[in-house]
Amino acid sequence: MTNLVVATGNPGKLKEMQAYLIDSGWELMLKPEELEIEETGETFAANACLKASQVALATGNWSIADDSGLAVDALNGRPGVYSARYGNSDTERIDRLLKELSNQENRQAKFVCAIAISRPDGAIVLQTEGICRGEILYAPQGNGGFGYDPIFYVPEQNLTYAEMTPEMKRSISHRGKAFTDLLQKLPNLQ
Ligand code: ITT
């Protein structure tokens, strides 16, 4: 089995990425904790490529990275690629977003997930993106998941991401859509 380093320091993401990749035929490895990549890109795709490529070069292995975030219509797509930098904790980030939307009736938003896979020499060989549209609630609801999950409501399921079982979130989420596409292409890579 070929090693594949999962290039994330976010435990919530890591758990979901491992679940998608468990039967993929790759030997998953964790990114060394001290290895941090600065996200200088202006798009999710650019940052996913940056992380995958840098981690591959630093470890000498194949690497997979996920760059994701929440884009709110009434905020012109913010926090977008700054989703992780919107506060120092999940609670702070959620509070800030809810404050910014406090007088706003348009609650439409989308979660975006870009994934990139790099060869050990840093070359990106696969990229994909998934989107899930939803609405931002006025207060958090549900205890599951991570990050912005408690305020992201999906009308088709009548649940927030945080109220879904991990299996349901995996099947309909932005990350789920990106991985469905990726997993079809993954076996042909090496
Ligand atoms: P890595 O770069 O190390 O992977 P990160 O947390 O910095 O970890 P990003 O730069 O991609 O990752 O930022 C993503 C932000 O969007 C972060 O605040 C997440 O909590 C949030 N996010 C991404 N996917 C999410 C999901 O499925 N549910 C809730 N929040 C999510």
Side-chain angles (χ1 to χ4, degrees), residues 7-10 13 16-17 31 37 39 44 47 51 65-70 80-85 90 93 111-113 145-150 161 169 173-175:
T8 182
N10 181 321
K13 258 194 203 179
E16 291 188 11
M17 291 173 81
K31 171 182 82 75
I37 313 300
E39 296 179 24
F44 294 110
N47 282 331
K51 288 189 271 189
D66 160 319
D67 199 68
S68 42
L70 190 53
V81 291
Y82 300 102
S83 293
R85 292 164 268 181
D90 284 343
R93 289 185 273 268
F111 252 122
V112 182
C113 173
F146 67 98
Y148 296 92
D149 281 353
Y161 267 0
K169 183 185 171 193
S173 74
H174 52 310
R175 188 164 293 106

Side-chain angles (χ1 to χ4, degrees), residues 1-189:
M1 271 206 250
T2 311
N3 291 334
L4 180 65
V5 180
V6 184
T8 182
N10 181 321
K13 258 194 203 179
L14 177 65
K15 221 168 149 185
E16 291 188 11
M17 291 173 81
Q18 284 173 319
Y20 292 115
L21 292 167
I22 196 105
D23 294 321
S24 66
W26 292 70
E27 179 75 28
L28 300 187
M29 292 174 61
L30 296 185
K31 171 182 82 75
E33 217 173 306
E34 65 281 4
L35 179 59
E36 289 206 30
I37 313 300
E38 205 188 339
E39 296 179 24
T40 53
E42 285 178 9
T43 62
F44 294 110
N47 282 331
C49 291
L50 203 74
K51 288 189 271 189
S53 191
Q54 297 294 314
V55 169
L57 281 171
T59 62
N61 286 294
W62 289 75
S63 170
I64 182 168
D66 160 319
D67 199 68
S68 42
L70 190 53
V72 179
D73 291 6
L75 300 177
N76 297 319
R78 283 200 322 274
V81 291
Y82 300 102
S83 293
R85 292 164 268 181
Y86 229 44
N88 291 320
S89 64
D90 284 343
T91 313
E92 252 185 57
R93 289 185 273 268
I94 287 178
D95 284 351
R96 176 170 172 193
L97 195 59
L98 290 181
K99 265 200 199 90
E100 290 183 348
L101 283 175
S102 56
N103 297 318
Q104 185 54 251
E105 275 178 23
N106 177 6
R107 315 292 296 188
Q108 299 297 313
K110 63 179 176 187
F111 252 122
V112 182
C113 173
I115 299 172
I117 293 191
S118 172
R119 273 191 332 220
D121 66 359
I124 298 296
V125 291
L126 196 54
Q127 278 189 72
T128 123
E129 198 160 292
I131 289 176
C132 178
R133 288 207 63 90
E135 295 163 20
I136 306 299
L137 294 183
Y138 288 85
Q141 228 171 266
N143 299 312
F146 67 98
Y148 296 92
D149 281 353
I151 55 167
F152 189 74
Y153 171 80
V154 184
E156 289 78 14
Q157 267 68 34
N158 192 21
L159 294 170
T160 65
Y161 267 0
E163 292 173 313
M164 295 178 190
T165 61
E167 293 72 27
M168 184 186 287
K169 183 185 171 193
R170 274 209 297 280
S171 70
I172 61 107
S173 74
H174 52 310
R175 188 164 293 106
K177 289 175 182 159
F179 267 97
T180 300
D181 181 45
L182 183 109
L183 287 171
Q184 285 170 5
K185 299 170 181 160
L186 208 50
N188 310 321
L189 263 193

